[in-house]
Amino acid sequence: MPVTSSAPGPAEGAPAAPPSLRSGSLGTADIAFFVVSAAAPLTVMAGVAPLAILLGGIGAPVGYLLAGLTLAVFAIGFTTMSRHVRGGGAFYAYVTRGLGRPAGVGAALLALIGYNGMEIGVYGLLGSATQDTAHALLGADIPWLPVSLAGLLLIGYGGYRSIDFGAKVLGVLLAAETGILVLLAAGVLIKGGAHGLSLDSFAPGHVLVPGTAAVLAFAFAAFTGFESTVIYRREARDPARTVPRATYIAVGFLGLFYAFIVWTAIQAFGDAEVVKAAGTDPAGLFFSAITTYVGAWAADLMHVLIVTSVLASLLAFHNAINRYGLALAEEGILPKALSRVHSRHGSPYVAGIIQTVLGAAVVLAFAAAGADPYGQLLLWVNTPGMLGLMTLQLLAALAVPLYFRRIDHGEGALRTLVAPVVAAVLLTTAIVLVITHLDLFTGASATVNTLLAAIVPAVFLAGLALARWLRRNRPGIYARFAAEPAEDGAGAGVGAETGAGIASTGPPHASRPAG
């Protein structure tokens, strides 16, 4: 006869727990899909790589390898720290642990500006890319604004649904956009390129040229968002392993894939002819290559897949922003309503609605001003977003060695000191390269570029001022900012077996922010 207990169950006589994010929903591949999709590989290759070839010559593929190597070095310290910092605030939690609460609040505002800038500007690209596709395939001229607004609603719905729904959608779209680039590469390799295959792109004489600095600036921009793996920690299965794996897979795939595709595009025209071809028609370089080596049908398909590539990038960034909004609402920095999670989908739906409304307001404001969707909405809004995320990477790299100096840990010096310091130096160089070549990104005047670049330090200083205000007027919120959660997101469902081990990683005092 089974033994029964008369004690009430945990839910008896107590209010039901509020809905929360779906822990254990995402595996390594799912998180990697979000990160790689945010980078929009097809859009980066077809839209930006021709400019890299034009400016840097046939040595352009090496620029993407160097950028990938730099970010892989950054990932060493970044992922090591991810095993010790379990909060949902990602970048700002890391910065708080190493550089103190004021810098952490500044990083939180930078993250909001950075990710919103990277997403909202892309609605301009969605409108212009759809215009180009409709004109190329149907000969039709359509207005960009309705397309961008429809995209806002579509992406808003995708963010409203569960995170595993988003992962499935991104998996399909990412497979399609990378598949068309692989098809192009296969056609070039099978036919031997224009004049036979050459490895001259990797010779020092073609890499060490004045235009390489500009190529590096473009290359670093092509990886933007790869670090967002840690944002999904609370929804990951076994995050201590899943998050680092997804980070390395993302940065490794992007670096090698970008370099390989750029190299095959060079082979499609030949070392001696590709720079001229890129200068004559940069926007049509990849379409011309795939028409020659695969067929006109493939060029038509590439037009369509560029639109879906942009949609995938938008959905990935939208999900990242929602989780930052959720985390900051839980901190008390943003209104509490943004911390609401959907009872069925497990999504931060209120944060998603607010982000969609913000995106619509910016898009409508640019449209009302008669702005160009590509040259102004995309480039002017994306640029401070890109600089903001690069600055966050630098702050996180600086935070790693300072964090590990203050705690007892079993990590080696390579991970906790050498790699982060090297990454900080390389990321500083990358930021300088981007700022000094900002006109290549925006096509704007020096005055506009100065204003766009100034947004990043202005936002960070505003964060420092906000931290000072919180310390004086909201000491409870300030004291709890970026505190470690009581339990890891993996503690429920799949991955629960490892959750206890994660929760005990590092000594008890490791959960206290610096300053």
Side-chain angles (χ1 to χ4, degrees):
M1 185 172 178
V3 178
T4 60
S5 171
S6 60
E12 215 174 291
S20 60
L21 297 176
R22 291 187 173 184
S23 62
S25 297
L26 301 177
T28 299
D30 298 320
I31 298 174
F33 286 152
F34 277 104
V35 174
V36 176
S37 296
L42 176 56
T43 303
V44 166
M45 289 291 93
V48 181
L51 298 177
I53 295 170
L54 178 62
L55 295 169
I58 66 171
V62 178
Y64 290 92
L65 288 177
L66 292 175
L69 181 61
T70 296
L71 295 174
V73 173
F74 165 75
I76 293 173
F78 183 64
T79 56
T80 300
M81 197 166 174
S82 75
R83 294 201 292 267
H84 297 257
V85 178
R86 297 176 290 111
F91 266 140
Y92 76 75
Y94 289 53
V95 173
T96 301
R97 289 290 180 282
L99 303 180
R101 289 187 184 89
V105 176
L109 296 193
L110 269 184
L112 286 177
I113 293 295
Y115 282 102
N116 271 292
M118 289 303 298
E119 188 206 14
I120 294 173
V122 175
Y123 284 109
L125 177 60
L126 175 64
S128 63
T130 305
Q131 276 185 323
D132 293 343
T133 297
H135 186 77
L137 301 185
L138 306 173
D141 294 317
I142 62 174
W144 69 271
L145 181 58
V147 173
S148 297
L149 294 177
L152 276 156
L153 294 176
L154 183 62
I155 297 304
Y157 173 74
Y160 174 80
R161 291 292 302 273
S162 63
I163 190 68
D164 44 341
F165 170 82
K168 291 181 177 69
V169 171
L170 291 178
V172 172
L173 297 181
L174 182 61
E177 66 175 298
T178 54
I180 195 70
L181 290 170
V182 169
L183 185 64
L184 166 62
V188 173
L189 294 177
I190 290 171
K191 295 184 179 180
H195 309 295
L197 302 178
S198 165
L199 295 178
D200 287 350
S201 289
F202 304 97
H206 294 296
V207 175
L208 303 176
V209 297
T212 299
V215 174
L216 285 169
F218 281 121
F220 277 104
F223 286 82
T224 304
F226 92 92
E227 72 296 321
S228 60
T229 49
V230 293
I231 296 173
Y232 301 102
R233 180 182 180 90
R234 289 164 63 179
E235 295 156 288
R237 295 192 290 270
D238 192 3
R241 295 181 177 87
T242 302
V243 169
R245 286 173 183 166
T247 305
Y248 285 118
I249 288 171
V251 72
F253 171 79
L254 288 173
L256 294 172
F257 189 70
Y258 284 153
F260 172 65
I261 295 300
V262 174
W263 174 76
T264 56
I266 292 169
Q267 303 312 300
F269 293 90
D271 291 347
E273 294 88 0
V274 68
V275 173
K276 181 181 178 181
T280 301
D281 183 17
L285 189 75
F286 273 71
F287 296 102
S288 175
I290 201 166
T291 299
T292 300
Y293 289 92
V294 181
W297 67 269
D300 292 343
L301 180 59
M302 182 178 281
H303 274 291
V304 174
L305 292 179
I306 282 181
V307 175
T308 63
S309 170
V310 174
L311 287 170
S313 177
L314 285 166
L315 180 57
F317 274 116
H318 181 72
N319 276 298
I321 294 164
N322 294 350
R323 280 145 186 81
Y324 260 114
L326 171 70
L328 288 172
E330 292 173 341
E331 301 277 10
I333 303 297
L334 294 179
K336 187 174 179 60
L338 273 72
S339 66
R340 293 177 187 165
V341 174
H342 196 277
S343 58
R344 182 156 59 95
H345 298 306
S347 62
Y349 72 105
V350 176
I353 292 171
I354 297 300
Q355 202 282 326
T356 300
V357 171
L358 174 63
V362 174
V363 169
L364 288 170
F366 271 80
D372 180 77
Y374 184 91
Q376 292 170 311
L377 175 53
L378 170 67
L379 300 181
W380 290 14
V381 177
N382 255 192
T383 297
M386 172 186 65
L387 286 173
L389 295 187
M390 293 180 75
T391 303
L392 282 171
Q393 292 171 359
L394 174 59
L395 291 172
L398 293 172
V400 173
L402 295 175
Y403 168 75
F404 281 109
R405 277 186 62 188
R406 288 194 299 271
I407 70 168
D408 297 325
H409 60 87
E411 310 288 355
L414 175 63
R415 290 179 171 273
T416 61
L417 178 62
V418 177
V421 170
V422 171
V425 172
L426 294 174
L427 286 167
T428 301
T429 303
I431 292 170
V432 171
L433 284 173
V434 170
I435 291 175
T436 54
H437 293 84
L438 213 57
D439 58 313
L440 298 177
F441 290 92
T442 66
S445 66
T447 301
V448 171
N449 288 334
T450 300
L451 291 173
L452 293 176
I455 290 174
V456 172
V459 169
F460 186 71
L461 290 174
L464 297 181
L466 175 60
R468 184 177 180 181
W469 184 88
L470 289 170
R471 187 170 188 171
R472 289 182 176 180
N473 299 283
R474 300 286 189 273
I477 291 176
Y478 182 80
R480 292 190 300 270
F481 183 76
E484 285 289 271
E487 295 181 4
D488 194 282
V494 181
E497 299 80 21
T498 58
I502 298 164
S504 62
T505 301
H509 64 274
S511 64
R512 293 200 300 269

